[in-house]
Structures are given as structure tokens and as C-alpha cells.
């Protein structure tokens, strides 16, 4: 037998389920209808996107105009001049094609200048890297007069190249300079023509002056990188019984990797474009022993009025610097660039 109460409950449950399912279906239908309808905020979103792009264009346009006027346009004009035999005045008429490039590449002075640039690149990194890192590690410790020492070390980099070059030129003048005077006081003597006048010592003297001038930048960058190394790593290494050298080799130097690679890139590019300090100290002499690619093209353009050859040399210098920079970015800074891209994707 079927209980009346059970039958009533069954009927009540069926009616309740019907009643509750109907609004559910209707609600689902209304939700689908609303989702199918175009979102009213779409136009506002597109308008905001256009406005954002317009704002970016307005703020970036002045920088792009200046970049085009003072970087892109001079490069285009230099390439144009390099195909002509031109004295710096009058119209461009005497088209010579690639003859200027052939003359530059076959010029022993330019090939020597290229070699000097490469020597300066290698010497700058090989000398300034260990010196800068050692001094930075020393100044990173707590000591009296730490701020004063940092300021004194950074002062040479702040000085203008002209001022620093004139001061060092006066110090290195043969027989009358400070260097020869000090050597004579201790019973020694320098080269007869001075350190800047002897082809054997001139280039290495210039490298020594460049080290004094730009070592402060390396130290400041390395000190900034050291501030980003967590103290917990040092404490954990000390607890494990690691020596000071092991801590520097296993923790400090790897953590400073991006800073070291960035500084080396700046040093390389600056050494390739070196002009002002060499021009003031030696003018490229003696006997072209300190000529760089930049001083070569200035000599050809301003002193010999061979602006076509000077333009070709400037284009070659630009191509060499660009290729070396791209190769450095590709093989040396590849890890840093990959990490940056991954972080940007993660932030999105």
C-alpha cells in the first residue's frame, strides 16, 4: 500500500522542482541573451585605447624628431658623402662609388687605428674590471670616511675630458712635467721625448690616463650592484663555514653578473668611439702610434679636407661598433635579455 503522506510529499516535491527549474531555465536564457548582446563598454574601451595611443605619440614625438634630426639624418648624409670625392664645399658632383671605402681599408694608418681601438677595448676591461671590483668590495665595507672616499674616486669621471686631458698633458710634458720631476727626484729618468712623445710608451700612457678617468664609473656601478645582494646569502655562507674568497666567488660575483656585463658593454662602446682624450694628449701621434678611428676621420676631414674619405671612415666605425654591440648582446647579454623578457611576460 502507498502511504498518503508519501504520495503527498512526492507530489509536493515534483511541483517544487518544477517551480524551481522554470526560473532557472528562464534565468539561463536571460543570461545567454545578455551575453549575446554587445557589451556597452566596448566603445569606451576602444576610445580609451585610442586616447592612450595618442598620449604616447604626443610624448614620444619630440624625442623621435630630435633622434631623427641629430642621429638618423647625419648617418644618412654621411653615407651619401662617402660615395663622393668632396672637399667640404660646393655641390656633390664627383661620384666615386666605393673608392673611398677601398682607400680607407687599404690605409695603413686606419688599420693601425683599428688595432689601437681593439687594444684599448681589451686593456680597459682587463685593467678596470679587477681594479674596480676590488675597490668596490673594499668600499662596500663599513669604515670611516666611506662617503668621502667614494666621492674622491668618482671625481675624475665627473671632470670634463678636456680639463682632464690638459691637466695630464701638463703633468707628462718632457723634462718639465710632474712625472719627470718625480722620477728625477728618486734618481730615475723617463723617456727623452716624454711618455707621450715616445711611440713605445704613448699608447700605454693614454690607457693609464683612461683608467684613471673612467675607473670611478666602474666602481660606482659595482657598488650599486652590491647593494642588491641580500645579506641573508652572506650570513648563510658564513654559517656554512665559507671563506671570504669563496663567498665572493660563489655569491658576490654571480650576483653582480648583470652589472658587470652592462659595464663591460659601456666600456667597449666608449673605447671604440674614443676621440677627445687622445686628441688632447697626443693628437694621434707620435708617428700615428695612438691614432684611433675617430681621430683618423677627424684628421682626414678637418686637416686634409677629404670629407668623402672621412665620411667613409665614419660609416666603417659605425658598422664596426654596431656589429660588436649586436654580437655582445647576442652572446654575452643573452641571459640578461631572456630574464627581462620572462619577467615582463610574468608581470602581464
Amino acid at each position: 500500500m502507498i502511504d498518503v503522506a508519501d504520495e503527498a510529499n512526492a507530489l509536493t516535491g515534483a511541483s517544487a522542482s518544477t517551480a524551481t527549474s522554470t526560473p532557472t531555465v528562464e534565468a539561463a536564457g536571460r543570461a545567454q541573451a545578455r551575453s549575446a548582446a554587445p557589451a556597452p563598454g566596448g566603445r569606451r574601451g576602444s576610445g580609451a585605447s585610442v586616447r592612450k595611443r595618442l598620449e604616447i605619440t604626443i610624448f614620444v614625438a619630440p624625442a623621435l624628431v630630435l633622434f631623427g634630426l641629430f642621429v638618423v639624418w647625419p648617418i644618412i648624409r654621411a653615407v651619401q658623402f662617402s660615395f663622393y670625392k668632396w672637399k667640404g664645399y660646393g655641390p656633390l658632383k664627383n661620384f666615386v662609388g666605393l673608392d673611398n671605402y677601398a682607400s680607407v681599408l687599404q690605409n695603413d694608418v686606419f688599420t693601425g687605428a683599428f688595432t689601437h681601438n681593439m687594444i684599448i677595448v681589451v686593456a680597459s676591461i682587463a685593467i678596470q674590471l679587477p681594479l674596480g671590483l676590488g675597490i668596490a668590495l673594499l668600499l662596500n665595507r663599513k669604515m670611516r670616511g666611506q662617503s668621502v672616499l667614494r666621492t674622491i674616486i668618482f671625481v675624475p669621471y665627473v671632470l670634463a675630458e678636456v680639463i682632464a686631458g690638459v691637466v695630464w698633458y701638463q703633468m707628462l710634458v718632457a723634462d718639465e712635467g710632474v712625472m719627470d720631476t718625480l722620477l728625477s727626484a728618486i734618481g730615475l729618468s723617463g723617456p727623452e721625448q716624454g711618455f707621450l712623445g715616445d711611440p713605445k710608451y704613448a699608447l700605454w700612457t693614454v690607457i693609464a690616463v683612461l683608467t684613471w678617468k673612467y675607473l670611478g664609473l666602474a666602481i660606482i656601478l659595482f657598488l650599486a650592484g652590491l647593494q642588491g645582494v641580500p645579506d641573508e646569502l652572506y650570513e648563510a655562507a658564513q654559517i656554512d663555514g665559507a671563506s671570504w674568497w669563496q663567498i665572493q666567488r660563489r655569491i658576490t660575483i654571480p650576483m653582480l653578473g648583470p652589472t658587470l656585463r652592462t659595464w663591460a658593454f659601456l666600456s667597449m662602446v666608449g673605447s671604440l668611439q674614443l676621440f677627445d682624450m687622445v686628441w688632447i694628449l697626443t693628437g694621434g701621434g707620435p708617428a700615428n702610434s695612438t691614432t684611433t678611428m675617430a681621430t683618423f676621420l677627424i684628421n682626414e676631414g678637418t686637416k686634409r679636407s677629404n670629407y668623402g674619405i672621412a665620411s667613409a671612415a665614419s660609416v666603417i666605425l659605425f658598422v664596426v661598433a654596431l656589429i660588436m654591440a649586436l654580437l655582445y648582446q647576442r652572446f654575452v647579454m643573452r641571459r640578461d635579455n631572456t630574464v627581462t623578457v620572462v619577467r615582463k611576460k610574468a608581470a602581464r
Side-chain angles (χ1 to χ4, degrees), residues 22 38 130 136 144 258 266 278 286 327 331:
T22 303
R144 292 183 179 180
L266 296 175
V278 175
L327 291 176
F331 295 103

Side-chain angles (χ1 to χ4, degrees), residues 52 63 74 76 103 160 167 202 209 239-240 281 291-292 327:
K52 184 177 181 180
I76 295 175
S103 299
V167 170
V209 176
I239 292 174
D240 292 339
L281 290 175
T291 304
T292 63
L327 291 176

Side-chain angles (χ1 to χ4, degrees), residues 41-53:
R43 296 180 179 178
R44 289 198 300 268
S46 60
S49 177
V50 172
R51 184 169 62 252
K52 184 177 181 180
R53 293 179 182 177

